[in-house]
């Protein structure tokens, strides 16, 4: 049985936090960014889902 591949970081090297402490490049919080390497694959997938929701919320006017 092969080992599960690690979940890739969503970082796109646009590292700037907005006033809500959310990165405008990957939509992770500062805490999620710093703790990413310690998260399990399951936790990383949960963060990615939250990032997707943040993206939709932050960019709702652009997605019409």
């Amino acid at each position: 049985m092969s080992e599960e591949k690690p979940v890739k970081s969503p970082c796109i090297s646009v590292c700037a936090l907005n006033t809500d402490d959310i990165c405008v490049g990957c939509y992770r919080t500062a805490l999620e960014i710093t703790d990413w390497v310690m998260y399990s694959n399951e936790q990383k997938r949960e963060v990615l889902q939250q990032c997707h929701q943040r993206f939709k919320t932050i960019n709702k006017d652009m997605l019409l």
Side-chain angles (χ1 to χ4, degrees):
M1 190 171 181
S2 64
E3 190 173 313
E4 183 180 20
K5 291 183 181 179
V7 174
K8 187 178 175 189
S9 168
C11 180
I12 60 168
S13 298
V14 178
C15 306
L17 299 177
N18 67 15
T19 57
D20 293 321
D21 204 31
I22 305 295
C23 177
V24 298
C26 67
Y27 296 91
R28 290 180 292 171
T29 65
L31 181 62
E32 290 167 344
I33 293 167
T34 57
D35 288 354
W36 182 262
V37 296
M38 295 181 283
Y39 290 159
S40 67
N41 277 346
E42 182 177 336
Q43 289 170 309
K44 289 177 181 180
R45 284 188 285 272
E46 289 173 15
V47 168
L48 291 175
Q49 288 177 346
Q50 292 170 8
C51 291
H52 181 69
Q53 288 302 319
R54 289 182 195 125
F55 172 85
K56 288 183 355 183
T57 300
I58 291 170
N59 296 297
K60 65 182 175 231
D61 295 333
M62 294 172 39
L63 299 173
L64 296 175

